[in-house]
Amino acid sequence: MKQSKLLLSALATLMSLNVAAGGNSYVGGSAIMQDVTADPSAFRGLRPNVFIGYGTMMDKEFYLAGEFAASFVFTFADTYEDKSGSLRTSPALSLSAIPGMMLSPNSMGYLRVGLVEALFTGSSNWRPGVAMGIGMETGLTPCWSARAEYDYTIFRSTSVGTPRSDEFAVSFKYTFDA
């Protein structure tokens, strides 16, 4: 719970920076396919996600952003020996740094490094995690862009082991004052 308060205070800071900085603030949504495993349990689900962030070009080629995201999950498959072994995580909160590099005038490759806090519904415990990812963003219009991304997250140990999450996401992002 302490980490949830930390994530919420970071969100408040990020939002105040967005207001003060003016342009380059963005919002968006994602559809994420998630697989979480920790033998013998496994979980697969669709994770709708909303995010808010601030990003800026550091020079002509390099980009840096900070992003806060929140998501819930819809279950496709949940395999466990007893209910406390379920790896379903809902909700999940994350705070990420996103360094990127322009590959063309409209496309950027980027990395994601972040902290995650997720409620494992089987054990009713919030667990912290670390996320790492790689993605590609392409501008559709001056304000709209689309992203495709893969993220790997490892969480603190639970009663069924150390959960690991593989996520594949497709996102749309709207940048204000672009």
Side-chain angles (χ1 to χ4, degrees):
M1 192 61 169
K2 183 178 179 183
Q3 291 165 337
S4 297
K5 290 179 184 177
L6 179 63
L7 282 174
L8 289 175
S9 64
L11 171 63
T13 302
L14 180 63
M15 290 179 80
S16 65
L17 287 174
N18 283 336
V19 171
N24 298 328
S25 301
Y26 62 86
V27 295
S30 305
I32 302 170
M33 176 59 102
Q34 180 186 45
D35 284 317
V36 184
T37 56
D39 287 335
S41 298
F43 171 82
R44 176 172 284 171
L46 179 64
R47 179 175 290 286
N49 183 44
V50 293
F51 55 86
I52 182 171
Y54 177 81
T56 189
M57 294 300 296
M58 304 304 284
D59 62 21
K60 290 181 181 180
E61 293 182 27
F62 298 102
Y63 174 83
L64 184 61
E67 186 173 290
F68 175 79
S71 61
F72 292 87
V73 71
F74 297 103
T75 305
F76 289 150
D78 199 359
T79 308
Y80 48 84
E81 292 179 358
D82 62 50
K83 184 161 175 60
S84 67
S86 173
L87 295 176
R88 184 176 191 265
T89 58
S90 188
L93 306 172
S94 68
L95 186 61
S96 303
I98 303 173
M101 187 170 118
M102 297 304 293
L103 303 174
S104 73
N106 288 332
S107 296
M108 172 180 67
Y110 63 89
L111 301 174
R112 177 181 299 274
V113 179
L115 300 174
V116 178
E117 181 88 12
L119 176 63
F120 282 80
T121 58
S123 62
S124 298
N125 288 325
W126 284 90
R127 294 282 184 213
V130 176
M132 297 158 282
I134 187 167
M136 176 87 151
E137 182 173 328
T138 300
L140 303 174
T141 69
C143 292
W144 286 97
S145 60
R147 301 195 298 197
E149 182 174 341
Y150 166 78
D151 293 324
Y152 176 79
T153 305
I154 188 163
F155 291 95
R156 178 182 273 168
S157 295
T158 66
S159 60
V160 294
T162 303
R164 296 165 307 282
S165 172
D166 291 292
E167 297 178 350
F168 300 93
V170 176
S171 307
F172 289 97
K173 178 175 111 174
Y174 181 82
T175 303
F176 298 98
D177 301 326

